[in-house]
Each structure stands twice: as C-alpha cells, then as structure tokens.
Amino acid sequence: MADKVIPIADLRRFEASTSPVHLRPMVQALPASGWLPDALGRPLRDLRISVTDRCNFRCSYCMPKQVFDKNYEFLPHSDLLSFEEITRLARIFVAHGVQKIRLTGGEPLLRRHIEALIEMLSELRTPEGQALDLTLTTNGSLLARKANSLRAAGLQRITISLDGLDDAVFQRMNDVGFPVSDVLQGIEAAQAAGLGPIKVNMVVKRGVNDEQILPMARHFKGSGVTLRFIEYMDVGATNGWRMNEVLPSREILSRLREVFELLPLSAAAPGETAERWAYADGQGEIGLISSVTQAFCGDCNRARLSTEGKLYTCLFAHGGHDLRSLLRGQAADRTPATDQDLSAAIAQVWSSRIDRYSQLRTNESTLLDDGPRRVEMHYIGG
Ligand code: SAM
Ligand code: SF4
Ligand code: SF4
C-alpha cells in the first residue's frame, strides 16, 4: 500500500489517559483512509472487542477464584457498551484500516443476544468493499447450543480454548469442574455449522497441563482443527505468574517432533502471532504462540476495546483511552461526540502508539517492573 502522510498533532492536548476529559480531540479530524500507522509504522488492522467481563470459568491463569469470588464486583450492565455503540466504533475502526474483528471477553457467549451484534458487525465493509474477517474466541461451554445461531448471524470462524483432554487436568485448569466432553461437543457443533477453519488454543503451564501436549496433538491431528499452543503469559496482576511455569515453545516443539514429523510453514498474514508447522503426512498443522519467549511486537497491529469502551493499544497496557465517555457525551463539555470526533480520537491514540512490551521484556530477558497495575485479560480479552 502507498505511504500516506499523517499530520503530526500536538499530543499534549490529547494525552493517553483513562480520564474522559483528556480524550476530546482538539485537532482537525484526520480523514480515515484505511491506512493508519502507529508511531513505529505498524498499521491498525486487528480489533479485539471484549463484550463482557464475566465468565463461567475460573482459569487460574486468567480469573483465579481467590480474586474473582462472589464478592468481586463485575461491571454493571449500564457500563457495558451497547451493541449500537460497539458497531458505531467498529465502523470507524474499519475506516481506519481494521480488517479483522475478534469478539472476546470474559466469555463472549455469556453476553445476551450476542448474535444480534454479530449480525450488525457482519454488515461492515472495508474501504475496499471487502467483508471483515469476523471471529470469536470462546471457552466452548455454550457452543454446542449456539454454533448454528452464531453461523446464521454471520460469524465466519471460531477459536475455542481447551487446555487438556484429561478431565482431572482440564477441571484443575478451569477450576469450576467443567467437563472436557462438553467442549468437544461444542467443537463438533461448530464444525457441523461450518464455522471454519476452527482453531483450538491451549495455554500450557509447566507441571500443570504440559503432559496433555501430545494427547491434544494426537486428538486434533487430521481433524481439520488447528491446535495452537500458547505460552502462559504474565498478563494482568492477579495470576501470580512465574517464569518457571512457562513452557517455552521451543520445548513444546521438540516434544512434538519426537513423535511427529513437522515442516515449517510461512506466516499466514502480517502480524500473525502463531509460528506454523505442518504435519509431514498432510494431516493438518499446529501453531506455537511464543508470547513470552519470542516477541512479536514488531508487526503488532492489534487494538483492543474493553467491555466498557476503553481503547487499549497493548495487552500489557496500564491504562486505556475512554471512548465511551466521548460516545455518551460524558466528557467535560457534555456534548456527545460526532463520528468525526471519534475518528480523530482513535487516529490520535493509534498514531502515537509506541507499545512493544514483549520485545522490551525479551531484550531485558526478565519480567519488566513496569509500575502500576496492568489491565486484566478477562476485561480486554486475549
Ligand atoms: N473466555 C474465552 C476463552 O477462554 O476463550 C475468551 C477470553 S480469554 C481471556 C482469551 C484467550 O486468552 C484464551 O484462549 C485464554 O486461554 C487466553 N489466556 C488467558 N489468560 C492467559 C494467560 N495468562 N496466558 C496465556 N493465555 C491466556
Ligand atoms: Fe474465562 Fe476465558 Fe479467562 Fe478462562 S481464559 S477464565 S474461560 S475468560
Ligand atoms: Fe502487541 Fe503489546 Fe503484545 Fe507487543 S506486547 S505483541 S505490542 S500486544
């Protein structure tokens, strides 16, 4: 794509903040051209939208029971962006170059009438007139019931999280006693509904579920489902992350290669997080997501919209930019933002983005001591 010149704005008037008063753009709106590079030249392509902060699982690496107990205060419904608000923002993000939208959470299938949102988002088109790559990440618990209605609403494909095939191991991971069989039924229902290609994500924690790597690989080999192994990450501030619980992708790969012949594949798309390997016998592929040991900040094109409408430019960000206050006219001057205001706000935030947490951490080969509490995964999604 040809280079576009983005005018430099006075960022002091538009500083990154969770406070609504700072987010009123005072510069002329930048025209949305479908090409919006950040300060490091990375275009905005991928938008992850968290539709709820609630979940029916208590995965220890994401929403540990000790923290997310019956006293934990989830967001009241009025704080959540409505489907109309989400779609309005998504349309503006798409005008700035977003081509892929992933719905996430919390558990996105817990949001009532999620199909209505999918229907609305599926009608969006890129500036070139293309439909979006619209997908959703789920723990699979409600999928057997919902696969057909999701497909009918316009969802194209789906990613399901599953951390093992052994019930005792999986139940230790989800910590609510949820059985593997129900998730497997959900995966089958998604396949039958045509929600493909299906990906299954497995977070690997050393000493907790790493024995499940080979059974999972055997189970999904030849099934048409791509299994991806994710390194356990230090997101948020509640999961008590320790480096010695991370099983590096290199080690996962060598365990797999002791059993299967695997051939390297090239990345499917720029900004792709997974390193891909094909089974030499043509029985599909696996992916490795090395979020901890191998930074992929260099071409990170992902923005995240939290459940309550804050824009995050990195999974490890401390604060978001409050778009909901702009939308609802709750900012200092109490006037609801026009589309042009919102467009300028998004452009301003993204074009000043310099995040590259994983890369810095890899360079330091240590966990960054980076000050205040980081945002939680269940609130901005994976
Ligand atoms: N509830 C849905 C699910 O589990 O698929 C969607 C939200 S969940 C936050 C999105 C993804 O983030 C899941 O695949 C989950 O396994 C992953 N995840 C959550 N915490 C993680 C961590 N500490 N390290 C690596 N991946 C994590
Ligand atoms: Fe829920 Fe997904 Fe987090 Fe597990 S990873 S607690 S299923 S939001
Ligand atoms: Fe993107 Fe931040 Fe992750 Fe780097 S650390 S890949 S910038 S989300």
Side-chain angles (χ1 to χ4, degrees):
M1 183 170 302
D3 285 344
K4 299 259 166 57
V5 177
I6 305 291
I8 297 169
D10 183 354
L11 298 177
R12 286 166 306 172
R13 291 193 275 171
F14 200 80
E15 68 192 63
S17 169
T18 51
S19 152
V21 288
H22 292 116
L23 204 49
R24 172 70 64 181
M26 297 172 73
V27 292
Q28 185 67 34
L30 301 173
S33 63
W35 174 250
L36 181 64
D38 70 8
L40 302 176
R42 300 167 295 186
L44 174 57
R45 290 285 180 244
D46 184 326
L47 178 64
R48 300 185 177 198
I49 304 174
S50 174
V51 293
T52 177
D53 60 339
R54 290 165 200 259
C55 188
N56 52 347
F57 283 15
R58 286 293 176 271
C59 306
S60 56
Y61 51 73
C62 177
M63 295 178 75
K65 243 183 190 163
Q66 313 82 276
V67 178
F68 297 91
D69 59 12
K70 61 179 181 355
N71 299 318
Y72 186 85
E73 284 186 32
F74 290 97
L75 295 169
H77 194 262
S78 57
D79 278 2
L80 271 52
L81 288 186
S82 69
F83 291 168
E84 288 71 23
E85 288 172 327
I86 291 175
T87 307
R88 183 172 170 209
L89 287 174
R91 181 176 290 113
I92 296 167
F93 275 100
V94 169
H96 278 305
V98 162
Q99 297 168 343
K100 174 172 162 186
I101 291 186
R102 176 178 299 280
L103 299 179
T104 177
E107 174 44 45
L109 299 188
L110 288 182
R111 178 84 187 248
R112 288 181 65 196
H113 309 305
I114 184 79
E115 294 87 351
L117 175 64
I118 291 168
E119 237 169 73
M120 291 157 80
L121 294 175
S122 69
E123 281 166 16
L124 298 180
R125 294 290 175 270
T126 67
E128 295 78 34
Q130 302 295 315
L132 300 179
D133 177 6
L134 184 58
T135 181
L136 179 148
T137 304
T138 172
N139 62 25
S141 58
L142 301 171
L143 195 52
R145 250 180 279 165
K146 285 201 160 248
N148 283 328
S149 59
L150 293 169
R151 182 73 192 99
L155 191 71
Q156 290 153 4
R157 57 191 187 86
I158 200 158
T159 299
I160 298 123
S161 305
L162 178 62
D163 296 333
L165 284 178
D166 178 272
D167 253 327
V169 174
F170 182 53
Q171 291 180 9
R172 205 176 319 137
M173 295 294 276
N174 66 54
D175 215 9
V176 292
F178 200 85
V180 174
S181 56
D182 288 24
V183 180
L184 293 178
Q185 271 175 27
I187 295 172
E188 277 168 32
Q191 278 183 305
L195 281 169
I198 292 179
K199 291 176 186 160
V200 167
N201 282 349
M202 172 180 176
V203 174
V204 182
K205 265 183 108 171
R206 191 196 287 277
V208 181
N209 69 335
D210 56 325
E211 295 290 298
Q212 293 294 302
I213 293 171
L214 292 176
M216 286 281 283
R218 281 193 195 98
H219 181 87
F220 288 109
K221 183 171 185 272
S223 69
V225 168
T226 298
L227 175 61
R228 305 183 322 160
F229 300 94
I230 306 181
E231 288 175 349
Y232 167 44
M233 277 188 285
D234 52 319
V235 280
T238 55
N239 66 11
W241 184 88
R242 290 201 310 268
M243 186 66 201
N244 62 10
E245 288 178 317
V246 178
L247 189 71
S249 289
R250 291 300 103 201
E251 222 175 304
I252 297 175
L253 184 64
S254 69
R255 287 196 198 179
L256 290 165
R257 291 183 99 174
E258 278 171 23
V259 179
F260 307 107
E261 195 184 337
L262 292 167
L263 306 169
L265 290 171
S266 52
E272 171 72 58
T273 50
E275 177 186 312
R276 302 164 59 219
W277 291 80
Y279 290 108
D281 60 6
Q283 295 284 298
E285 64 178 79
I286 57 121
L288 295 163
I289 304 184
S290 317
S291 347
V292 176
T293 59
Q294 227 182 343
F296 36 76
C297 302
D299 51 7
C300 176
N301 52 21
R302 293 175 289 283
R304 292 176 163 86
L305 187 61
S306 77
T307 316
E308 56 178 342
K310 286 188 181 146
L311 170 58
Y312 287 83
T313 54
C314 178
L315 190 51
F316 297 91
H318 297 288
H321 306 260
D322 188 357
L323 298 179
R324 192 192 63 193
S325 293
L326 286 183
L327 274 169
R328 296 187 182 173
Q330 291 163 335
D333 61 4
R334 304 249 153 215
T335 27
T338 62
D339 281 359
Q340 205 186 33
D341 290 338
L342 291 166
S343 175
I346 291 166
Q348 198 80 320
V349 170
W350 189 264
S351 58
S352 56
R353 171 184 189 248
I354 53 166
D355 305 270
R356 49 192 186 107
Y357 174 87
S358 292
Q359 197 179 327
L360 295 174
R361 180 193 40 208
T362 306
N363 295 348
E364 303 281 317
S365 27
T366 172
L367 181 62
L368 288 179
D369 175 14
D370 53 349
R373 263 175 82 94
R374 291 200 299 257
V375 64
E376 296 295 336
M377 187 78 142
H378 73 107
Y379 166 76
I380 57 167

